Amino acid sequence: MGLLSILKKVKNKEREMRVLMLGLDNAGKTTIVKKFNQDDITGISPTLGFNIKSLEHRGYILNIWDVGGQQCLRSYWRNYYEHTDGIIWVVDSNDVQRLEMCKNELHTMLLEERLAGATLLIFANKQDIPTAMSIQQVLDAIEANQLRTTNRHVNAVACSAHTGEGLLEGVDWLVSDIASRIFVGE
């Protein structure tokens, strides 16, 4: 029995997934985690460092690592890549000026070998704001069509962290995709 088979069997018993929540500062990462967990979303302040939140969803435990997106923290993101099953990349659909920076950070991050097989969910957040770009405009701006590879599954969902719209759809897809890859017999 190979090491990968043993690891998959151990993972199957744990039914845990490690998910990194990343994106530029003020994209809505912490708000998404809190909204999904039905926590109060008023008075959220910028994440300095990281927060870990464990959520149960469809019989799985999602250990979500919500990492700050300020420019001074981005160089530390690589410290969290090890053993990542999935990535949720949050884009502020209303922040047109920083979409180029958002694209560059995303594409650079995905070059990391330790993230090679991780499932990628892109949340085009803040769709509840009338001036927000459509999901297709966001995907074009961050050149999402270049992100699909033979070993990376990618999906994008329009969402609003404030209303909760799209969050369940995105997390359902993420959990299903990760489970199909790493849990034996599912």
Side-chain angles (χ1 to χ4, degrees):
M1 182 178 301
L3 179 60
L4 187 58
S5 298
I6 293 168
L7 291 174
K8 283 185 176 184
K9 286 183 182 272
V10 168
K11 199 72 144 156
N12 192 27
K13 290 179 182 171
E14 293 175 1
R15 295 183 62 89
E16 287 189 22
M17 299 176 180
R18 179 183 163 97
V19 177
L20 271 182
M21 175 88 68
L22 297 171
L24 301 185
D25 51 305
N26 201 37
K29 300 176 296 295
T30 302
T31 307
I32 287 171
V33 173
K34 286 183 174 283
K35 186 69 171 185
F36 196 78
N37 202 40
Q38 300 175 348
D39 291 341
D40 180 24
I41 60 169
T42 58
I44 294 176
S45 57
T47 302
L48 302 174
F50 66 95
N51 295 313
I52 305 170
K53 192 75 170 179
S54 292
L55 309 172
E56 206 238 312
H57 185 68
R58 291 182 30 206
Y60 295 95
I61 302 294
L62 280 69
N63 295 312
I64 300 178
W65 292 67
D66 172 17
V67 185
Q70 294 87 341
Q71 189 164 4
C72 62
L73 297 175
R74 293 179 206 152
S75 63
Y76 296 103
W77 285 354
R78 69 178 58 88
N79 297 328
Y80 303 97
Y81 294 165
E82 206 69 40
H83 307 295
T84 295
D85 299 313
I87 304 161
I88 299 175
W89 183 262
V90 183
V91 180
D92 181 342
S93 302
N94 199 47
D95 190 356
V96 178
Q97 282 85 7
R98 296 198 312 159
L99 278 175
E100 180 72 19
M101 183 187 311
C102 179
K103 175 192 83 170
N104 292 338
E105 293 290 351
L106 174 60
H107 286 258
T108 299
M109 176 195 65
L110 292 176
L111 293 174
E112 288 285 336
E113 189 175 321
R114 291 174 289 169
L115 297 175
T119 297
L120 174 64
L121 170 63
I122 300 168
F123 269 143
N125 190 26
K126 303 188 183 182
Q127 291 293 309
D128 55 315
I129 299 174
T131 55
M133 296 173 67
S134 71
I135 188 167
Q136 191 56 55
Q137 290 171 312
V138 169
L139 295 177
D140 290 345
I142 64 170
E143 298 177 3
N145 59 331
Q146 296 179 8
L147 302 175
R148 286 181 173 79
T149 63
T150 54
N151 63 343
R152 182 178 321 285
H153 299 171
V154 180
N155 191 24
V157 176
C159 75
S160 167
H162 281 275
T163 67
E165 182 181 344
L167 299 183
L168 186 59
E169 174 190 345
V171 173
D172 274 345
W173 176 83
L174 182 78
V175 167
S176 293
D177 189 74
I178 294 171
S180 72
R181 286 187 306 104
I182 65 173
F183 294 107
V184 177
E186 293 190 5

